Amino acid sequence: MKGRNMNPSRSRTFGMTCLLLALAIVGCQPTGRHSRMTTMSDPHWAIERIPLDRSAAQFTNFTREHLAYAQSLLSQTLAVSGPRTIANTLDPLNEMWMHVDLVASHSELFSQVHPDEAVRHAAEEGSKEVSKFVTGLWLNRDLYNAYAAVDVSGADEATKYMVTKALRDFRREGVDRDDATRAKVEQLNQEIVDLGLAFKRNISEDTRHLEVESPSDLAGVPKDLVDAWVKESEKTPGGRIRISTDYPQYVPFMKYAHSDPLRKELMTLFMNRAYPANIEPLTKLIARRDEKAKLLGYANWADYATEINMIGSGANALAYIDRVQGITRAAADREIGTLLEYKRRHDPAAEGVNAWDVSYYLNKAREDRYDVNPQEVRRYFDFPDVMDGLLTVTGRLFDVKYVKVEGLPLWHPDVTAYDLVRDGERIGRFYLDLFPRENKYKHMAQFDYAQGVAGKRLPQAVLVCNFPKPDGTPGSALMEHGDVVTFFHEFGHLLHTLFAGRQTWVRNAGISTEWDFVEAPSQMLEEWAWRHETLKLFAKHYETREPIPADLVAKMQKARMFGEAYHWARQTWLAAISLGYYTADPATLDTTQKMIELTQKYSPVPYMEGTHFQCSFGHLDHYSAVYYTYVWSKGIACDLFSPFEKNGMFHGATARKYRDRVLAPGGSRKAGELVKDFLGRDFTLDAFERYLKQGA
């Protein structure tokens, strides 16, 4: 998942479009020099000067400092007399956005990951301040006129496209509306930010636990996990074993635990995270977005959110997920029927498969039908090996190197830093925050830290995950293969951000394409976690150090397709929730009842009584109506992968062409044009449909 930033084609919270993250020009402390424009020779542009860990007071100073610089640059630009040019208008405004976006990216990240509650609060306040500032920019008619007055007829295509997007985004925010409308938009934008922050906070701060009496309650769970959980229980009052709703414990318990009642109990806890706290913020968030969309002339928020995406409209998005549902649903129902057969081996009276059964019986069926023992597979994926392997595989694929950076003042001891190097030149830096902890973001995502600008600023990004944490002992952090796939996926976002960090305009940098394209490169990179050609480089048995056998990988690939129809049918269910909430009438919307209705229509398994999944479905905030992008992007990813499938996983010319023509351009061109430049033709969904029908 791509983390939220100031780009409302990716994040609708701030009501802006195509704003990318930025670069630090000064440190945390005020300098009192807001009136000057920073130049490339300013030492504060150095990557080492971007602040990392900081106190709440320092974060507040940082926010105010950069917004003051942004205001100064805005004032200077609007005061320009004479003809407007790229040099006297677009260049200083580019620096303005760089300041603004730096505040936005740091605020978003630290509100989600910093261990100090005071810093998280300061970061939330930073999000509010930068949102208010940016809303004012988009509603500023003088600023709109300044952009419109610049003659870009002789400029390069990237500059023309940037200005075209900017003028479009001004109009989408209501710059040409009357004063009353613009004032209302400003109010709604701020309310949307506040509600989104509350929604996220309630999720990240809610970890629930299933408590069991003895190791016998964990029957079926791999021994290394049982031993670790029992050891941890020795530290808790009463010595009861606690299994949390965080992924490193939740996922394997649901996959392996024999106890049907305990799986149901843990899933109920998981599906009720942030309930009831998020019922009100979510309902209001949907209502405020709907009000804004209608105020600006749209039928609903889904139409507003999708207008600038590849799909074009909410109706097109719904038609697409219905199309995928039509391809997958019959096969998904057959898969569920097979799972029922396995369930009846344990419970002859079973009448159906429930949500808490799926992972467990998929595991059983794959093991039985394809001779794949997932507990055996885990032994080849010790976290340190996977970490090294990810860097080895992507380094070889994209012809880059990774250099670990020591001694930085990072926000938690678990966080590590690396420089990305190509041809001996550092081209970016990234940070890895990979293990779960209290009050940390609960999912997996890449967050921007500082978008790169050619000749001025190197890009920086952060990967935030929740993988098992090693303790230095071999085998102490064995990963499910699905987690390995996720690691490759999220790292794909990070590389996209860094490779696209050499654009002239910050609004074209990073993953600033249409939002329903952003998952495609990451979904494509998942394939490198499925092939023996790549896995043999790092997947080694944690005890014997033997590489994973080719025949085991072949079995894994066959087993992969069983359950794939269910997976994509489930994705259409999630997409339907996203679209359904944001096309409904907020005045009558009951989010739980709507969830039940959409589950009955789209989900291959019945609604789980007494649960409120919508309260922890974080995508309803920052993806809002466009969760369908996972289904849409997968179609593009399958097409993008076809040249690698033909030429080889490490084919140098193909990889370089993909890196330079799809990833590096960032948002300087339309996504469809980038794909066409790589494939030599328009993309089609044929490869995706063939893929889906393999499991049908």
Side-chain angles (χ1 to χ4, degrees), residues 482-615:
D483 284 340
V484 178
V485 174
T486 297
F487 204 176
F488 273 74
H489 175 103
E490 299 301 341
F491 202 73
H493 284 308
L494 184 143
L495 288 176
H496 193 176
T497 295
L498 298 182
F499 286 140
R502 290 191 169 188
Q503 295 298 315
T504 300
W505 308 109
V506 70
R507 288 172 47 78
N508 285 345
I511 310 177
S512 52
T513 61
E514 297 92 323
W515 191 236
D516 48 6
F517 175 74
V518 301
E519 297 295 337
S522 289
Q523 288 171 323
M524 192 194 78
L525 195 62
E526 293 175 12
E527 294 300 323
W528 276 256
W530 279 104
R531 307 301 169 115
H532 185 255
E533 180 182 358
T534 54
L535 291 177
K536 69 181 181 181
L537 299 177
F538 67 90
K540 294 180 170 56
H541 195 287
Y542 79 96
E543 291 177 321
T544 68
R545 306 308 295 160
E546 290 295 317
I548 192 168
D551 63 338
L552 177 56
V553 176
K555 293 175 183 177
M556 290 164 59
Q557 290 174 337
K558 291 179 181 178
R560 172 190 188 182
M561 295 312 300
F562 181 75
E564 198 69 354
Y566 168 80
H567 169 76
W568 287 106
R570 183 177 184 276
Q571 287 294 87
T572 64
W573 167 63
L574 294 172
I577 294 169
S578 168
L579 284 165
Y581 281 3
Y582 284 105
T583 54
D585 179 0
T588 59
L589 176 63
D590 179 325
T591 57
T592 301
Q593 183 58 39
K594 188 70 171 179
M595 171 78 69
I596 294 171
E597 294 171 5
L598 293 169
T599 301
Q600 291 171 343
K601 181 176 181 180
Y602 286 95
S603 175
V605 295
Y607 170 72
M608 192 171 175
E609 293 293 336
T611 63
H612 306 83
F613 169 66
Q614 73 272 27
C615 291

Side-chain angles (χ1 to χ4, degrees), residues 251-525:
V251 170
F253 190 91
M254 296 305 300
K255 184 174 182 177
Y256 296 111
H258 292 331
S259 173
D260 181 88
L262 290 179
R263 290 199 315 276
K264 179 181 180 181
E265 185 176 349
L266 182 60
M267 178 170 273
T268 300
L269 291 169
F270 182 85
M271 299 283 274
N272 275 329
R273 290 171 302 153
Y275 173 79
N278 265 346
I279 288 290
E280 183 177 354
L282 176 60
T283 302
K284 288 183 176 179
L285 184 63
I286 293 167
R288 299 301 181 271
R289 283 173 164 158
D290 182 78
E291 185 177 359
K292 176 182 174 180
K294 288 175 177 171
L295 186 66
L296 294 171
Y298 296 84
N300 50 55
W301 182 260
D303 278 350
Y304 178 84
T306 55
E307 179 190 43
I308 59 174
N309 288 347
M310 299 177 79
I311 203 82
S313 72
N316 289 345
L318 183 60
Y320 178 70
I321 65 169
D322 282 345
R323 175 182 171 186
V324 175
Q325 174 85 180
I327 296 171
T328 60
R329 184 56 186 268
D333 289 342
R334 288 196 297 272
E335 289 172 346
I336 293 298
T338 300
L339 300 190
L340 180 58
E341 294 174 10
Y342 280 89
K343 184 176 180 179
R344 284 175 174 162
R345 295 181 184 182
H346 302 278
D347 178 10
E351 296 182 354
V353 173
N354 298 300
W356 62 89
D357 295 322
V358 174
S359 182
Y360 179 76
Y361 286 108
L362 271 175
N363 184 33
K364 291 293 184 185
R366 286 167 175 160
E367 184 173 357
D368 182 55
R369 292 160 67 101
Y370 302 100
D371 192 26
V372 176
N373 182 343
Q375 297 202 36
E376 177 189 356
V377 172
R378 291 176 72 249
R379 298 185 181 112
Y380 291 93
F381 295 109
D382 200 5
F383 178 84
D385 291 335
V386 175
M387 177 71 225
D388 290 344
L390 175 68
L391 300 183
T392 297
V393 168
T394 56
R396 178 177 168 185
L397 177 65
F398 294 116
D399 192 24
V400 294
K401 295 181 179 179
Y402 304 99
V403 179
K404 193 170 185 179
V405 184
E406 304 282 4
L408 298 178
L410 301 168
W411 54 92
H412 191 274
D414 287 345
V415 182
T416 54
Y418 290 82
D419 281 341
L420 179 65
V421 177
R422 186 170 68 202
D423 298 329
E425 177 188 2
R426 179 174 64 183
I427 61 172
R429 176 172 289 177
F430 60 92
Y431 308 92
L432 302 178
D433 189 346
L434 301 179
F435 310 121
R437 58 179 178 269
E438 290 296 319
N439 299 313
K440 179 190 166 186
Y441 181 75
K442 300 300 182 187
H443 199 53
M444 320 275 190
Q446 182 249 294
F447 291 76
D448 296 336
Y449 200 74
Q451 284 292 0
V453 176
K456 293 186 176 183
R457 176 74 268 152
L458 291 178
Q460 298 185 70
V462 184
L463 201 59
V464 179
C465 298
N466 287 278
F467 295 129
K469 182 179 178 180
D471 64 8
T473 305
S476 63
L478 299 180
M479 300 175 70
E480 297 294 323
H481 180 251
D483 284 340
V484 178
V485 174
T486 297
F487 204 176
F488 273 74
H489 175 103
E490 299 301 341
F491 202 73
H493 284 308
L494 184 143
L495 288 176
H496 193 176
T497 295
L498 298 182
F499 286 140
R502 290 191 169 188
Q503 295 298 315
T504 300
W505 308 109
V506 70
R507 288 172 47 78
N508 285 345
I511 310 177
S512 52
T513 61
E514 297 92 323
W515 191 236
D516 48 6
F517 175 74
V518 301
E519 297 295 337
S522 289
Q523 288 171 323
M524 192 194 78
L525 195 62

Side-chain angles (χ1 to χ4, degrees), residues 668-681:
S668 63
R669 300 172 65 189
K670 292 182 178 180
E673 295 176 2
L674 302 179
V675 176
K676 184 175 183 178
D677 196 20
F678 174 62
L679 294 176
R681 56 171 172 78

Side-chain angles (χ1 to χ4, degrees), residues 197-229:
L197 288 169
F199 186 75
K200 290 184 304 177
R201 184 191 321 115
N202 290 335
I203 297 172
S204 64
E205 294 181 356
D206 191 346
T207 299
R208 304 189 181 192
H209 295 84
L210 169 70
E211 294 190 353
V212 299
E213 294 289 345
S214 73
S216 63
D217 293 316
L218 305 178
V221 176
K223 184 178 182 300
D224 61 293
L225 294 177
V226 173
D227 290 345
W229 297 350

